[in-house]
Amino acid sequence: MSLIPEIPAAPFVPLYPALGSLNFNQEAYAYGTAMPGVTTRLREIAAACRECALAAREDAMSAEASRMLSAQQADQAMSYRNQAANSATAAAGSASTASTHASNAVGAYTQMQALYLGAKTSNPVKDNQGNALQLGAWYTYVGTDPALKGVWLWWDGTGWNPGIGPVVGTLMPKSGGKFTGYASGPEGATGEQFPQAQEVVPRAVRYYDKSIPMSAAPVGTVCFFESTDGGGMDWPYKTNVTIHGWLVETWDRGGVRSMQEATFTLSGFAATGAKFRRYKHDTGWSAWARELSDLDFRERVVSAYTGVGPGAAKLYYLDPKVGSIHHVIVEYNTHFAAAFRDIGDQVTLRMQFYGGAWPVSFNSDLRFPVGVSMPTYTTGQIVTVTFVWTRAGYIDAFVAGVHTA
């Protein structure tokens, strides 16, 4: 860029001499001698003006270039402004979306906090916000109980249940592995299910002495009960057999329906070959009932007392469930009635009169033969009558006779 020169001062031009002046010649001479200097100064002024014009032209050309550059930059600035405006609009939308996601994240975190409660040393009673526990909430146990150390527990609505513990000790790989404890299977397994051991593998016989009741025998296991000095509290033949050897098997359904069978297995004894069976409904066992076989066919005898007077006549029921032979000590006036179950039942009644020849009577469905009545008896004697039910509404009586005491 050219520098702008200083413009020289204007030359001093003397006045032109006036005609007829007395000093005309001298003034004309002074004027004439001054003109070269004036001309030189005018030339310097012209040169300076030319330099100024050139500088002005150069500055004008530079200014035009700057103007054009400024116009281009202005166009670019406008484009950048438009882009910035678009970005600002997009940023506003992104900010709104981010705000929505942030709200959703806060809600999800709050919900997660209500479901996973983190590490606890004991079962929590509220969630992490102090609200009631939600179904499915879970936490990791980090307390001192070794059985639960590191176990996940989940809330089923009423209590905490173990979920999963340390993976290595909880999950069996598909390729197989070894259990350090026992594994349970379903009862009555079918198909590819593995059954319980007692359903497929015979178990060793368990041995017990008379201190153990037979009711304590484990279900599904063959047991041997033996004693050399009398039977146990609920053994068959517990009083009139000294040496015992019973093979006992017990079957059960849910602990409320049970059946137990006991077989005397020692040879050379009065009970050899005897087999007894009893049943349990809910809690109590029935009395032992002898099973019929070619080794043992004996009737069950039940002994009873009617009770002494005075007062109304005593009432005694002939019940075949408790025995097929009823030996009854009659101690006062007594009325006999049947408690038979169905046609085919039979009971033999042996009435032994104690303290007097007490009168007896019978219910109307107990029918004696035509023309036959009770025989005459005295104190201490025994009258035997057998009752057989073979037709509806009638139980026939057969008088066997009178025996001395």
Side-chain angles (χ1 to χ4, degrees), residues 330-341:
V330 180
E331 301 173 288
Y332 195 67
N333 303 345
T334 304
H335 181 80
F336 291 93
F340 283 21
R341 298 162 296 188

Side-chain angles (χ1 to χ4, degrees), residues 259-346:
M259 190 274 284
Q260 193 170 67
E261 192 171 71
T263 303
F264 195 96
T265 59
L266 302 181
S267 61
F269 294 88
T272 299
K275 180 178 288 189
F276 291 81
R277 181 177 292 182
R278 65 177 179 173
Y279 303 88
K280 184 175 75 170
H281 176 81
D282 292 336
T283 57
W285 283 96
S286 68
W288 287 103
R290 185 193 303 273
E291 295 184 15
L292 299 181
S293 70
D294 57 350
L295 297 176
D296 195 334
F297 187 83
R298 285 179 287 177
E299 296 191 62
R300 178 184 293 174
V301 177
V302 57
S303 297
Y305 295 82
T306 62
V308 297
K314 307 300 180 182
L315 177 62
Y316 184 86
Y317 285 99
L318 301 171
D319 189 349
K321 293 194 301 296
V322 299
S324 57
I325 298 177
H326 291 233
H327 190 98
V328 180
I329 305 298
V330 180
E331 301 173 288
Y332 195 67
N333 303 345
T334 304
H335 181 80
F336 291 93
F340 283 21
R341 298 162 296 188
D342 203 346
I343 290 177
D345 272 344
Q346 176 178 322

Side-chain angles (χ1 to χ4, degrees), residues 18 67 403:
R67 183 195 67 79
H403 295 80

Side-chain angles (χ1 to χ4, degrees), residues 132-273:
L133 294 170
Q134 293 189 27
L135 180 66
W138 54 288
Y139 80 96
T140 304
Y141 180 83
V142 293
T144 58
D145 187 343
L148 295 177
K149 192 73 172 179
V151 172
W152 298 350
L153 291 100
W154 65 279
W155 179 254
D156 65 0
T158 57
W160 288 100
N161 300 277
I164 184 172
V167 174
V168 174
T170 304
L171 301 180
M172 178 71 72
K174 289 184 177 180
S175 58
K178 180 180 180 181
F179 288 108
T180 57
Y182 67 86
S184 296
E187 288 189 33
T190 59
E192 295 183 349
Q193 297 174 332
F194 68 86
Q196 296 181 354
Q198 71 273 11
E199 298 185 41
V200 294
V201 180
R203 305 186 73 172
V205 175
R206 294 192 178 184
Y207 292 88
Y208 300 98
D209 59 23
K210 72 174 186 178
S211 66
I212 304 300
M214 287 185 180
S215 59
V219 174
T221 302
V222 177
C223 303
F224 194 81
F225 288 77
E226 61 181 344
S227 171
T228 59
D229 57 354
M233 60 182 296
D234 67 341
W235 295 14
Y237 274 135
K238 67 178 181 179
T239 57
N240 59 345
V241 174
T242 301
I243 299 177
H244 287 255
W246 296 95
L247 196 65
V248 178
E249 294 180 89
T250 307
W251 294 268
D252 174 82
R253 185 191 69 77
V256 294
R257 303 289 186 273
S258 305
M259 190 274 284
Q260 193 170 67
E261 192 171 71
T263 303
F264 195 96
T265 59
L266 302 181
S267 61
F269 294 88
T272 299

Side-chain angles (χ1 to χ4, degrees), residues 24-181:
F24 181 81
N25 289 338
Q26 186 178 356
E27 292 177 353
Y29 176 81
Y31 180 81
T33 56
M35 283 300 107
V38 171
T39 302
T40 299
R41 179 60 59 85
L42 291 175
R43 185 176 179 280
E44 291 176 351
I45 291 173
C49 288
R50 181 178 177 277
E51 290 295 324
C52 287
L54 291 174
R57 180 175 175 274
E58 186 178 346
D59 289 343
M61 293 176 65
S62 177
E64 178 63 18
S66 297
R67 183 195 67 79
M68 294 179 64
L69 180 60
S70 296
Q72 293 175 356
Q73 292 176 342
D75 291 340
Q76 292 178 353
M78 179 60 70
S79 175
Y80 293 149
R81 185 195 70 80
N82 293 337
Q83 291 179 9
N86 293 336
S87 297
T89 301
S94 298
S96 177
T97 302
S99 177
T100 301
H101 291 330
S103 297
N104 293 339
V106 171
Y109 179 73
T110 301
Q111 180 65 17
M112 186 274 287
Q113 283 281 296
L115 290 176
Y116 178 61
L117 308 183
K120 308 287 184 183
T121 58
S122 61
N123 292 338
V125 296
K126 298 286 185 180
D127 68 13
N128 290 343
Q129 283 76 41
N131 300 320
L133 294 170
Q134 293 189 27
L135 180 66
W138 54 288
Y139 80 96
T140 304
Y141 180 83
V142 293
T144 58
D145 187 343
L148 295 177
K149 192 73 172 179
V151 172
W152 298 350
L153 291 100
W154 65 279
W155 179 254
D156 65 0
T158 57
W160 288 100
N161 300 277
I164 184 172
V167 174
V168 174
T170 304
L171 301 180
M172 178 71 72
K174 289 184 177 180
S175 58
K178 180 180 180 181
F179 288 108
T180 57

